[in-house]
Every structure is written in structure tokens, then in C-alpha cells.
Amino acid sequence: MEDQKYLANIIGRPLSILLSIPLFSENGDYVIYIENQLSDEELAEFFAFMGDRISSLEMTLDRIVLDQEINSASYMWESTFDGIDSPVAIVDKEYNIYRKNKFFNANSKTCFQALGDETSKCNGCPLDQAYKTKKPASNKIEVNEKKYIVHTYPFSDASQSKQLFVNLYTDITKSENLHGQIIQNEKMSAVGNLADHIAHELNNPLTGIRSLAQVLISEQEEGQLKEDLIEIEKATERSQLIINNLIEFSKAGISHKAETIDLAELVAKTIPFLKSVMGQFERNIELAEGVKIKIDPQLGQQVIFNLINNACQSMGDSGILTLQVYSNQNIACFKVKDTGAGIPTKNLKSIFEPFFTTKKEGEGTGLGLSVCKNIITTYGGKIEVASQVGNGTEFTIQMPMVSE
Amino acid sequence: MTVLIADDETIVRLALKRALSVLNCTIIEASNGEEAVEKWNQSNPALVFLDVLMPGLTGPQVLSEIGQNNAKIILMSAYTGEYDMEKARSLGANLFIAKPFEDIFSIVEKAKELLHESR
């Protein structure tokens, strides 16, 4: 009824003023203040009358206060959850997400989908274990090119009917990579010591070969045999150069000698050493003059030698060897290209690692390219490879160019 | 006159032997430390080429085994860090040569000089 709308009509007179009170109070006590002109008898009657009606009002007020408290608590919980600087999610045993924070893709149903668009649970997920043992579990997973440690904490939902899990993910990608790098550095110093050892071992037979060659040369008449022996002696001299470089390399880093040299000249100086391996291939050599870099010339030659040697070895009986020296803005470039077998994509990222080799035992140490890369990066440059199986390989070295 | 060459690397012994043939001496070879001591005692060489790092007894150990002797001693080693002229002398050797040998003939010359000294 229309006249039921107004509190005054329901309660009835003799109320004359109804004050409005704010509904939020720190203390939680609510007061209805009624100004009246009743006598004592009438007041008692009035209180009885009001008492009946107040209780429902009280209940409503209590509920409003409770709602506010819940909202505020809920707000604090949500802020905490979202504010955690790692991915957090609440999932069930089928990996369905009940609640996730901002680190996950929106609109994803499962945790593995949300974390990295995966279609099934991540390798190493500890959820199963937590489910079976009903105890927290953790394990390492790798998803979307990142590595995490997942801590999963089982709990039951409020109704005790559902098994849920809180998954906390700690991103360990960086620290793992750092760890990997430390291992790599240790490997490099192991290589250093090994290199030192091998180098000195190699010097033994080499010195014998060279000395014997020198003796034989001195005994020969001019002729083919003498010329061949001279080549042998030169080869041992080159070998000793390489070994010396290896020893230098092994002494905790590379010799930091550097000279300004003309790149084309350095390449030209190295080519004669490769006469025999380069022999039967078609050559495409373009060495621009005036491209200068700063490097230890011996080490530079070692790199050049290594790349050309590799290129020739990959080509078998025939092929085209391309050598280029050129400059690109302020960058000195040296390119070695072959038409050999090419490098499979899966190996490409490993070829600069020490000891990585696809050659048979005894045919290669797997040190060549890693030493080259080390030398080039020490002098501020970089070395890159492009290759396709069946189409050949191209190595490009870029170094800072020295201006006149 | 006898020359003893002690080195575990066959071709090093061969190269030295061939190069030293100009001296017109008897060349005796040993491929390890024990053999070196044995042959040294047997042949009483005037000149000994002694490698430092050999299996079994090392060069310096051979020297201490032999003790007092009449030979001129050339110590050889690839590891130039630890051994040099001073160290070689303190061990009782006359000369130290680093491997690899750059020029075998200069070594022959040095050997000649040493042998002439004792006359």
C-alpha cells in the first residue's frame, strides 16, 4: 500500500523527527536516536513497540556491515594475490584454473595453457605428486622458453568437497642461465688447461719432425725431394705457430697484443698456407683494400686459416670457395663461403661450443671454432654462420674498423 | 766418444742422432729414465741429451741417480715455465734447450762447443 512506503506510516506517530545516521562505524555499534515528547508510560509502550520492529532493522544493518568487511577483506586478498611478483594460480587436479593472477594469459582454462599456450601438462609438473601425497611438492618445469620452479600446495575448498592446489611459480630462467654460463666458463678454463697440456705434448713429435726435416734438407741435392722436404718443414713451422697460439690461449685468456693490420693483406698472407687444401676448388676471392682492424696478427691468421680450412674440408672433391673482405659503414667484414654439405639446423647453435664436433674420432678436436669465436669476441667483433644442408655454409666475421 | 740421447719420443731421438752424425761419435739411445741410467753407467758418455719429462724416472731424477759424472749435459723440455738455464744448472746440467727446436743445426753447434770445452 502506498502509505506503507514511509517509515513514519509504518511505525506511526508520535515520532516527530527521524534522524539519518551514517551506516559505517569503526566500533560497530549502531544507534537509533529518537527525540520524543512521550511520558514515561507512553515511552515504555513505545519501546515495546519499537523493539519488535528494530530486530529486523538490526539484522539488515549487521548484514550490511558484514558485507563491507567481506568486501574489504576480499579486496585486500585480491590485491595481495595480484601483487605477488610471480605467477600464482589456484587450480584443481585437472589443472583447471579457479583463480589466477596477472602473470597468466587471460581466457585460459588450464594452467599450462595460461602459462605458455601448451596443450598438455608441463613436463615435470609436481601437481600429481601433491595430489597423491596430499603434501606440498615442487619441481622444475620449462615452458615458453622460460624455466620455473613450481611449488604446489594442496588444500580443500571451503566445502571440503574439492581438492584444490595453490601453484606458485618462481622464474629461474636468469639464474639457470647464469649457472650455465658459469659452467661454460669453467669448461673454457678446463679447455685452457687441456689445451696447454695437449700443446706441450704435441711439441714433442713436432720438434722431432722439424729437426729431422732440416737434417734431410741439408743432405739433399737440389730437386723434387729437397723441395718436398722444405714443404714438410714449413708445415711443421706452421703447426708450431698454431700450438704456440693454443698455449697463449690457454694462459687464462688470449694474448692481448693488438696491431692495426690491413684485413685483405692478412687474408692474402694466410692463403699460401692453405695451398694444398684449396687446390682443386674454384675460387672467388674479393679482398677490398684499406679495410683495417686491430688484432693480434697471429691470432687473426689462425682464425682465417681455420675458417678457410673448414670450408675446404666440407667440399670434398669439388666446389666453389668464396672469400670476401669488405666494409659496411664502420664495420670490417670477412666472409668465407663454401658449397659444401652445409650444417643441419639442429647443430647450428652448438658449433661454437668447445669440443662440439661431428667429425669422427681423431679427425677434429672440436676446438677450432670455439677458439675462433673467443679470439674474435676478445677483439670486439662477432662471428655468425648461415647454413643450409645441401647448399653450403657461410661464415661472416664483423669487426670494428680502424679509421686512418 | 759416446753421446747418449734420452727422450721418450722416437723421432726426437732420430732427428738428434742424424744431426749429430757430423760429430763422428757413437750414439746411444734411451727411451725412458731407467734405461738412461743403465746405459749411462754402461757407456760413460761424454755428452748427454736428457729430456725432462719422461715416463718413470724424469730427467732430474736421472741426474740425481747418476750423481757425480764426467759428461756434459744438455737438458731439454717443452715446458719452459718451470725449467730454464738457471734451474738446469742447479740440477747439474750444462745447458737447457727449449722444445720445440727452432734450428737443429744451432743445437749441433752448441753440442760441439760443449765437447770442445772438456778438452
Side-chain angles (χ1 to χ4, degrees):
Chain A
M1 282 201 299
E2 191 56 32
D3 61 359
Q4 296 281 326
K5 245 171 46 174
Y6 297 100
L7 194 62
N9 288 342
I10 298 171
I11 293 177
R13 294 164 182 39
L15 289 177
S16 56
I17 302 176
L18 192 62
L19 299 172
S20 63
I21 331 118
L23 282 183
F24 183 72
S25 155
E26 289 292 334
N27 305 335
D29 279 336
Y30 294 85
V31 176
I32 294 189
Y33 178 79
I34 301 169
E35 212 177 87
N36 66 84
Q37 289 163 329
L38 301 168
S39 69
D40 283 344
E41 275 171 17
E42 286 169 323
L43 206 51
E45 240 183 79
F46 175 70
F47 271 124
F49 177 81
M50 286 300 285
D52 293 336
R53 280 135 190 94
I54 288 294
S55 56
S56 55
L57 192 58
E58 202 178 0
M59 270 167 40
T60 308
L61 284 174
D62 276 344
R63 217 191 62 226
I64 292 174
V65 166
L66 195 61
D67 266 349
Q68 277 183 345
E69 280 178 1
I70 291 176
N71 281 343
S72 138
S74 176
Y75 177 72
M76 288 216 314
W77 147 245
E78 283 185 17
S79 308
T80 306
F81 192 73
D82 283 329
I84 292 175
D85 204 18
S86 291
V88 191
I90 298 181
V91 298
D92 67 10
K93 68 176 172 58
E94 268 90 45
Y95 309 94
N96 297 311
I97 296 179
Y98 276 62
R99 172 81 213 206
K100 60 183 185 290
N101 75 352
K102 61 182 188 294
F103 281 90
F104 292 83
N105 294 338
N107 308 322
S108 301
K109 237 187 116 221
T110 57
C111 50
F112 45 79
Q113 197 183 3
L115 204 51
D117 278 327
E118 300 284 327
T119 49
S120 61
K121 74 168 181 183
C122 307
N123 230 346
C125 177
L127 195 118
D128 281 340
Q129 191 190 345
Y131 176 64
K132 287 194 197 117
T133 62
K134 306 248 182 303
K135 291 211 182 94
S138 58
N139 205 5
K140 190 171 100 168
I141 62 166
E142 197 168 329
V143 62
N144 210 16
E145 293 195 357
K146 281 181 161 229
K147 300 178 191 160
Y148 300 95
I149 298 210
V150 186
H151 302 275
T152 180
Y153 303 93
F155 68 99
S156 298
D157 74 332
S159 65
Q160 297 288 315
S161 61
K162 235 189 201 15
Q163 180 73 64
L164 295 176
F165 305 85
V166 178
N167 280 359
L168 179 62
Y169 303 79
T170 311
D171 188 334
I172 56 166
T173 317
K174 265 206 192 120
S175 80
E176 278 259 318
N177 289 346
L178 197 62
H179 184 65
Q181 216 169 44
I182 291 174
I183 303 261
Q184 178 74 346
N185 286 344
E186 280 179 8
K187 250 205 225 166
M188 282 308 282
S189 42
V191 172
N193 296 331
L194 188 61
D196 190 53
H197 188 68
I198 293 176
H200 285 111
E201 288 298 308
L202 276 174
N203 265 334
N204 241 6
L206 214 47
T207 206
I209 297 171
R210 187 171 183 195
S211 301
L212 191 55
Q214 287 171 341
V215 171
L216 292 170
I217 290 169
S218 72
E219 291 172 0
Q220 297 308 315
E221 302 279 339
E222 291 302 320
Q224 185 63 60
L225 183 53
K226 183 163 183 167
E227 277 179 38
D228 290 346
L229 288 167
I230 291 175
E231 282 302 314
I232 290 177
E233 207 238 325
K234 280 199 201 150
T236 60
E237 187 183 19
R238 276 192 318 271
S239 308
Q240 280 175 347
L241 264 176
I242 293 173
I243 289 177
N244 286 345
N245 286 341
L246 200 54
I247 293 174
E248 283 297 317
F249 167 73
S250 73
K251 287 180 187 158
I254 303 196
S255 97
H256 288 280
K257 261 190 336 189
E259 282 170 40
T260 302
I261 54 112
D262 185 297
L263 191 49
E265 267 177 37
L266 197 66
V267 176
K269 258 201 317 189
T270 315
I271 288 178
F273 287 149
L274 293 144
K275 239 178 23 180
S276 44
V277 285
M278 275 171 75
Q280 70 265 43
F281 303 118
E282 214 181 297
R283 303 180 196 185
N284 198 344
I285 303 184
E286 289 163 19
L287 310 176
E289 289 175 25
V291 179
K292 296 194 197 281
I293 59 171
K294 218 164 176 191
I295 195 170
D296 178 334
Q298 251 184 24
L299 295 178
Q301 277 198 289
Q302 193 182 331
V303 173
I304 296 169
F305 182 95
N306 209 296
L307 291 181
I308 299 179
N309 194 37
N310 283 354
C312 296
Q313 284 187 343
S314 75
M315 290 197 278
D317 291 325
S318 68
I320 308 173
L321 175 71
T322 306
L323 305 177
Q324 285 178 319
V325 168
Y326 58 96
S327 65
N328 195 348
Q329 294 169 338
N330 250 349
I331 304 198
C333 304
F334 174 54
K335 195 177 284 222
V336 177
K337 189 165 160 179
D338 67 63
T339 55
I343 303 170
T345 318
K346 67 172 161 61
N347 288 342
L348 269 181
K349 61 180 167 68
S350 311
I351 55 168
F352 292 111
E353 285 170 21
F355 301 122
F356 181 84
T357 180
T358 52
K359 293 189 182 149
K360 293 195 283 270
E361 199 182 293
E363 281 184 12
T365 54
L367 282 176
L369 281 177
S370 70
V371 174
C372 287
K373 182 168 177 185
N374 219 8
I375 294 172
I376 296 296
T377 50
T378 298
Y379 289 98
K382 60 177 177 171
I383 179 169
E384 282 168 342
V385 60
S387 183
Q388 215 180 33
V389 172
N391 261 348
T393 307
E394 183 180 285
F395 280 90
T396 309
I397 293 180
Q398 293 178 313
M399 304 235 4
M401 198 162 130
V402 175
S403 40
E404 291 299 326
Chain B
M1 226 174 5
T2 313
V3 177
L4 173 63
I5 304 176
D7 192 310
D8 58 331
E9 180 62 55
T10 310
I11 195 163
V12 169
R13 296 197 306 271
L14 179 57
L16 279 171
K17 180 170 166 173
R18 296 278 269 105
L20 292 169
S21 60
V22 297
L23 298 178
N24 285 320
C25 305
T26 314
I27 310 268
I28 304 214
E29 297 179 44
S31 60
N32 62 61
E34 279 95 354
E35 212 187 319
V37 171
E38 207 187 299
K39 298 209 169 154
W40 194 324
N41 285 326
Q42 278 173 1
S43 58
N44 196 20
L47 176 62
V48 176
F49 281 87
L50 189 56
D51 188 22
V52 165
L53 211 61
M54 287 187 288
L57 290 177
T58 63
Q61 284 174 327
V62 168
L63 286 180
S64 56
E65 280 271 323
I66 294 290
Q68 272 288 42
N69 62 82
N70 302 321
K72 300 284 181 193
I73 302 164
I74 298 179
L75 216 52
M76 313 182 284
S77 177
Y79 293 85
T80 50
E82 268 183 78
Y83 290 92
D84 58 9
M85 211 59 93
E86 251 183 69
K87 182 91 199 253
R89 294 253 171 78
S90 71
L91 290 165
N94 297 83
L95 210 59
F96 173 78
I97 305 181
K99 287 182 188 171
F101 308 141
E102 284 285 331
D103 175 12
I104 189 74
F105 301 116
S106 65
I107 293 175
V108 173
E109 281 306 306
K110 289 190 177 136
K112 265 196 206 163
E113 280 168 30
L114 275 179
L115 285 170
H116 283 139
E117 272 177 32
S118 59
R119 291 208 187 127

